[in-house]
């Protein structure tokens, strides 16, 4: 058995052959048209130029080549290729009929050329309608629209057969035909009266079929999702553009205009299909669609206004208007209506397709006003989500904010699609959350101006999120402060009541007993006094412990740097060498001294216990990171550092809470060279005094 061969390499040859054939047809048509007697009977029997249709066939085959070279399995590519060949032969037949039918004689095969142009060409609209009905899946829409698709196809086919089979009758111009030319060649042998109304009925059916195909495009677009929706968006744009062409050319009885309209009506959807298959994100189709829809509506409104004004004036003036006056009236109405209509339609169409993104100031100001009147927390985030959804007219927006406690607050607007994208919400360089938007759809594509508006909204979201987070952190901090204060009071009360109170009462009893025995039994009285002295010494030690817990006495005796040096000497016994340095701090607020002492003590204690370090150091400097003075405390060691999976313990949380109480912050990092560095910045409030 012969091994199967990949047939894909043969596709470029087949596509190239189609392109070469249509190119040769176009060249032949141009030559024939250039050498045609425009006053002869052929030009009257086949009005218009055949080269425009062969050019359309060449362009369609070129578009087919773009699709098939990329993916030979795309049925739409082969459909475009056959449609290109069909239009090429129709244009060539027209050019040959114009050239070959002369006043006295006719070239061979002119009857076949006339039949192909006048009769077989009736199937050309069906080719365009089928492409729109089947794109991009190659199947009709399901349900009732499948029936409608088949009905339109059958009706257009029957309408074309009427033209093919019935005689011409009186529809052709009165032309003296040379010998051998038969305009009814190849039709059924029926009387001329059988053709009455056949052409009109065929045209009506063809137009209805094309309109049905255009409506099916709109329905398929609304039902589609993902990549299919991106592709259908391009075909939808072509449908809007076709409607614009039909409106502009409505009522214009010029052969050149009609040829141009047919050319565009066929080329626009073919081009849109090609881009949709090959590169659906080639350009910002949403903006192109908005502009095309705007011009279509604008042209339709102005046309209706022109018809109404001209019809009214003609009725009043009894058809006495001249052609020049009619043209002048039409131009005047168009000029008067164009400016105001365009401004209103621009706003309406852009809002319909793209939301309020074209009015960034109103969007940002509206969100700011809403945030001012909305409770903090999830309500503000929900307001941000609604503002973004309204501004960009997207169906889904989610605002997610991470709290410092690990909690995530989420506000959602709409139903989450299958594919989304996430944009970070950054506040002062730190990511505090994210905004989730749809990944697909025309409204999800952002221009540079849209990105600036979204950045403004994200900044407000970040501010709202940060404000809400700070409010919650402040409330939690207040609760912790109140709890810590009451716990401290309860501990001091317990120590005084359960410790010092009974001991001092015992001392009183000892002293009273010694007083009673001092004359009778001096030796026993002396013993009692010694016991009382020892008890008082213990009481003094307890008082010193209580005082140290409230504020280390060394801070008042030695200052912050001296107290830390004393602490370092105590911790360094049997441990790493510890140094303490400063840059001449000067007097510091009492709260800052206590917080700095506790943070350094906790950091050095952790170093001695867990870091396995050989040396450590604490350095204190006054800095101005944000223009306000602050005490920077840095404790570094050369130990083993912290593992990534290690969670913050009580000591680290205690350091952070002490810094937060003063509006400062604490950071713990492990440099690549090893060790651990604890850095704290404590604002000095009103200064160093």
């Amino acid at each position: 058995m012969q091994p199967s061969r990949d047939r894909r390499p043969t596709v470029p040859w087949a596509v190239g052959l189609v392109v070469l054939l249509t190119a040769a047809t176009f060249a032949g048509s141009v030559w024939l048209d250039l050498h045609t007697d425009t006053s002869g009977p052929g030009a009257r029997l086949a009005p218009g130029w055949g080269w425009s249709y062969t050019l359309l066939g060449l362009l369609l085959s070129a578009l087919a080549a773009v699709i098939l070279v990329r993916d030979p399995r795309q049925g739409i590519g082969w459909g475009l290729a056959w449609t290109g060949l069909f239009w090429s032969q129709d244009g060539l037949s027209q050019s040959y009929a114009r050239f070959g039918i002369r006043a006295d004689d006719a070239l061979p095969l002119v009857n076949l050329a006339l039949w192909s142009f006048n009769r077989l060409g009736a199937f050309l609209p069906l080719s365009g309608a089928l492409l729109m009905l089947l794109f991009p899946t190659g199947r009709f829409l399901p349900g009732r629209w499948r029936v409608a698709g088949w009905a339109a196809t059958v009706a257009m086919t029957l309408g074309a057969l009427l033209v093919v089979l019935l005689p011409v009758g009186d529809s052709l111009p009165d032309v003296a035909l040379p010998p051998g030319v038969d305009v009814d060649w190849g039709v059924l042998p029926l009387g001329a009266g059988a053709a009455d109304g056949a052409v009109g009925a065929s045209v009506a059916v063809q137009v209805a079929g094309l309109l049905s195909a255009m409506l099916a495009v709109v329905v398929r677009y609304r039902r589609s999702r993902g990549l299919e929706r991106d592709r259908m968006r391009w075909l939808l744009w072509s449908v809007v553009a076709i409607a614009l062409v039909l409106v502009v050319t409505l009522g214009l009885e010029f052969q050149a205009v009609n040829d141009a309209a047919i050319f565009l009506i066929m080329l626009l959807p073919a081009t849109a299909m090609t881009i949709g298959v090959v590169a659906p994100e080639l350009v910002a189709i949403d903006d192109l669609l908005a502009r095309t829809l705007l011009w279509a509506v604008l042209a339709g409104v102005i046309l209706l206004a022109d018809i109404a004004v001209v019809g009214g004036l003609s009725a009043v003036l009894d058809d006495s208007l001249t052609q020049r006056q009619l043209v002048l009236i039409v131009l005047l109405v168009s000029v008067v209506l164009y400016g105001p209509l365009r401004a209103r339609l621009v706003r309406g169409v852009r809002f319909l397709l793209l939301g309020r993104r074209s009015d960034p100031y109103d969007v940002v100001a509206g969100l700011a006003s809403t945030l001012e009147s909305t409770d903090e927390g999830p309500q503000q985030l929900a307001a941000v989500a609604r503002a973004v959804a309204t501004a960009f007219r997207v169906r889904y927006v989610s605002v997610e904010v991470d709290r410092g406690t690990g909690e995530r607050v989420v506000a959602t607007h709409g139903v989450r699609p299958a594919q989304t994208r996430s944009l970070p919400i950054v506040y002062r360089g730190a990511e505090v959350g994210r905004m989730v938007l749809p990944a697909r759809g025309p409204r999800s594509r952002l221009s540079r101006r849209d990105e600036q508006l979204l950045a403004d909204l994200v900044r407000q979201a970040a501010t709202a999120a940060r404000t809400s987070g700070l409010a919650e952190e402040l409330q939690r901090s207040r609760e912790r402060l109140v709890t810590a204060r009451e716990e401290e009071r309860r501990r001091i009360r317990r120590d005084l009541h359960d410790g010092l109170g009974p001991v001092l009462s015992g001392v009183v009893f000892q002293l009273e007993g010694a007083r009673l025995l001092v004359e009778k039994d001096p030796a026993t009285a002396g013993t009692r006094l010694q016991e009382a002295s020892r008890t008082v010494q213990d009481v003094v030690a307890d008082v010193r412990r209580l005082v140290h817990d409230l504020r280390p006495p060394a801070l008042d005796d030695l200052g912050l740097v001296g107290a830390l040096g004393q602490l370092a000497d105590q911790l360094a016994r049997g441990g790493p060498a510890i140094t303490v340095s400063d840059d001449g701090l000067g007097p510091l607020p009492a709260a800052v001294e206590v917080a700095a002492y506790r943070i350094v003590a906790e950091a050095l204690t952790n170093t001695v216990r867990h870091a396995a370090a050989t040396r450590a150091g604490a350095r204190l400097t006054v800095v101005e990171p944000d223009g306000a003075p602050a005490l920077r405390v840095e404790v570094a060691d050369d130990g083993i550092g912290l593992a990534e999976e290690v969670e913050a313990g009580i000591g680290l949380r205690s350091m952070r809470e002490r810094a937060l109480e003063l509006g400062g912050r604490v950071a713990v990092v492990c440099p690549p060279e090893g060790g651990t560095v604890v850095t704290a910045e404590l604002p000095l409030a009103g200064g160093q005094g």
Side-chain angles (χ1 to χ4, degrees):
M1 179 181 296
Q2 294 290 334
S4 62
R5 296 182 178 179
D6 186 4
R7 303 184 64 178
R8 290 190 58 175
T10 63
V11 171
W13 290 98
V15 173
L17 182 61
V18 171
V19 174
L20 288 176
L21 184 59
T22 54
T25 303
F26 171 65
S29 179
V30 170
W31 188 91
L32 291 172
D33 285 341
L34 290 176
H35 294 81
T36 294
D37 181 8
T38 56
S39 62
R44 297 187 62 190
L45 287 174
W49 301 99
W51 68 263
S52 62
Y53 298 113
T54 55
L55 175 61
L56 178 60
L58 173 60
L59 294 177
L60 292 178
S61 64
L63 293 174
V66 173
I67 296 176
L68 294 175
V69 169
R70 180 183 178 90
D71 184 3
R73 296 168 296 180
Q74 275 287 348
I76 193 68
W78 293 111
L80 284 177
W82 284 110
T83 304
L85 289 173
F86 195 4
W87 279 93
S88 293
Q89 69 82 26
D90 182 79
L92 183 63
S93 298
Q94 181 179 7
S95 296
Y96 186 74
R98 288 167 54 86
F99 175 79
I101 301 176
R102 298 155 186 181
D104 300 326
D105 62 348
L107 297 179
L109 302 178
V110 291
N111 287 330
L112 178 61
L114 272 179
W115 179 85
S116 176
F117 167 65
N118 285 328
R119 300 182 181 279
L120 192 61
F123 286 97
L124 290 173
L126 176 61
S127 64
L130 277 176
L131 288 175
M132 288 191 287
L133 287 170
L134 298 177
F135 183 82
T137 61
R139 298 182 298 273
F140 290 116
L141 279 169
R144 290 177 296 179
W145 280 97
R146 182 188 300 275
V147 177
W150 278 110
T153 302
V154 172
M156 294 182 74
T157 303
L158 294 177
L161 287 175
L162 285 177
V163 177
V164 171
L165 298 178
L166 295 181
V168 173
D170 297 330
S171 60
L172 287 181
D174 187 12
V175 179
L177 299 177
V181 176
D182 184 5
V183 294
D184 287 329
W185 180 82
V187 302
L188 295 177
L190 300 176
D196 294 341
V199 175
S202 176
V203 171
V205 169
Q206 303 295 346
V207 171
L210 283 174
L211 293 177
S212 299
M214 294 167 65
L215 185 59
V217 170
V218 177
V219 174
R220 191 188 289 270
Y221 169 76
R222 293 179 60 86
R223 293 183 180 181
S224 60
R225 295 292 183 271
L227 179 60
E228 181 179 338
R229 191 176 184 88
D230 290 342
R231 289 173 171 173
M232 288 302 301
R233 190 175 299 114
W234 277 97
L235 190 56
L236 178 64
W237 164 79
S238 72
V239 168
V240 176
I242 290 173
L244 176 60
V245 171
L246 292 175
V247 170
V248 171
T249 59
L250 183 64
L252 298 179
E253 298 296 336
F254 298 103
Q255 185 63 45
V257 173
N258 293 335
D259 289 344
I262 294 174
F263 188 90
L264 290 175
I265 289 173
M266 282 303 303
L267 185 61
L268 285 173
T271 303
M273 293 177 195
T274 303
I275 298 175
V277 171
V278 176
E281 298 183 359
L282 179 64
V283 297
I285 181 60
D286 50 348
D287 189 58
L288 181 61
L289 181 60
R291 292 179 182 275
T292 306
L293 182 60
L294 167 66
W295 285 106
V297 175
L298 187 62
V301 173
I302 291 179
L303 179 63
L304 291 177
D306 287 334
I307 293 175
V309 172
V310 172
L313 290 176
S314 299
V316 172
L317 300 177
D318 195 20
D319 296 330
S320 60
L321 293 173
T322 64
Q323 184 72 21
R324 178 176 296 181
Q325 290 172 333
L326 287 174
V327 172
L328 182 61
I329 291 172
V330 168
L331 291 177
L332 181 62
V333 172
S334 301
V335 170
V336 170
L337 292 180
Y338 175 78
L341 273 178
R342 185 180 184 278
R344 293 178 180 273
L345 287 174
V346 164
R347 290 194 297 268
V349 170
R350 288 193 66 84
F351 176 76
L352 179 64
L353 294 179
L354 304 176
R356 298 175 58 197
R357 64 182 75 184
S358 59
D359 300 317
Y361 176 79
D362 293 341
V363 174
V364 175
L367 177 58
S369 177
T370 302
L371 293 178
E372 289 179 358
S373 59
T374 305
D375 294 336
E376 296 179 349
Q379 291 81 6
Q380 285 192 333
L381 298 183
V384 173
R386 288 194 302 271
V388 174
T390 302
F392 292 91
R393 205 167 173 80
V394 292
R395 297 183 178 180
Y396 175 80
V397 177
S398 178
V399 181
E400 304 174 357
V401 175
D402 299 325
R403 300 299 193 205
T405 58
E407 177 189 7
R408 175 176 294 178
V409 181
V410 180
T412 301
H413 177 87
V415 180
R416 187 183 185 96
Q419 294 180 320
T420 59
R421 58 173 174 168
S422 179
L423 303 175
I425 299 177
V426 179
Y427 184 82
R428 292 186 176 180
E431 183 175 336
V432 298
R434 63 209 52 84
M435 183 176 292
V436 183
L437 298 172
R440 290 187 175 273
R443 296 162 186 155
S444 64
R445 293 186 174 88
L446 305 178
S447 65
R448 180 171 299 179
R449 185 178 180 184
D450 297 337
E451 291 176 353
Q452 293 176 352
L453 172 58
L454 185 59
D456 292 336
L457 296 178
V458 167
R459 275 194 292 270
Q460 294 212 39
T463 303
R466 184 57 177 167
T467 301
S468 174
L470 289 176
E472 293 185 3
E473 290 179 8
L474 178 60
Q475 181 61 31
R476 287 194 296 268
S477 177
R478 288 173 176 172
E479 294 174 356
R480 288 195 300 268
L481 286 174
V482 171
T483 301
R485 183 187 64 192
E486 295 304 321
E487 289 292 333
E488 188 70 11
R489 287 178 175 179
R490 183 167 62 177
R491 184 184 65 81
I492 294 174
R493 178 185 178 279
R494 184 174 61 247
D495 291 344
L496 293 175
H497 181 273
D498 298 340
L500 291 179
V503 172
L504 291 176
S505 297
V507 170
V508 171
F509 284 116
Q510 288 174 341
L511 292 176
E512 184 63 24
R515 186 184 65 80
L516 295 175
L517 294 174
V518 70
E519 293 181 359
K520 298 179 181 181
D521 190 356
T524 303
T527 302
R528 296 281 181 88
L529 289 174
Q530 289 179 354
E531 292 175 355
S533 176
R534 287 193 297 270
T535 302
V536 170
Q537 291 176 1
D538 292 338
V539 169
V540 171
D542 288 341
V543 171
R544 287 178 175 174
R545 178 179 57 81
L546 288 174
V547 171
H548 185 274
D549 289 342
L550 295 176
R551 176 178 170 85
L555 290 175
D556 297 324
D557 299 337
L558 305 174
L560 176 59
V561 178
L564 290 177
Q566 184 183 75
L567 175 65
D569 293 339
Q570 295 173 359
L571 294 175
R573 295 170 185 170
I578 302 176
T579 59
V580 178
S581 61
D582 71 295
D583 291 341
L585 301 180
L588 299 172
V592 174
E593 285 186 332
V594 174
Y597 182 86
R598 300 295 189 195
I599 290 172
V600 174
E602 184 65 36
L604 290 177
T605 300
N606 288 337
T607 297
V608 172
R609 291 179 179 176
H610 309 296
T614 59
R615 62 181 181 275
R619 182 175 180 81
L620 294 85
T621 56
V622 175
V623 296
E624 295 186 3
D626 299 319
L631 176 64
R632 175 173 291 171
V633 178
E634 184 176 282
V635 180
D637 63 57
D638 61 350
I640 60 176
L642 296 175
E644 293 183 359
E645 64 273 9
V646 173
E647 297 183 357
I650 296 176
L652 181 56
R653 287 198 296 270
S654 174
M655 288 190 289
R656 287 177 174 168
E657 289 178 357
R658 290 185 183 278
L660 288 174
E661 290 173 356
L662 299 177
R665 58 180 180 268
V666 171
V668 180
V669 297
C670 296
E673 60 270 17
T676 304
V677 178
V678 178
T679 304
E681 287 188 2
L682 308 174
L684 297 179
Q688 302 183 42

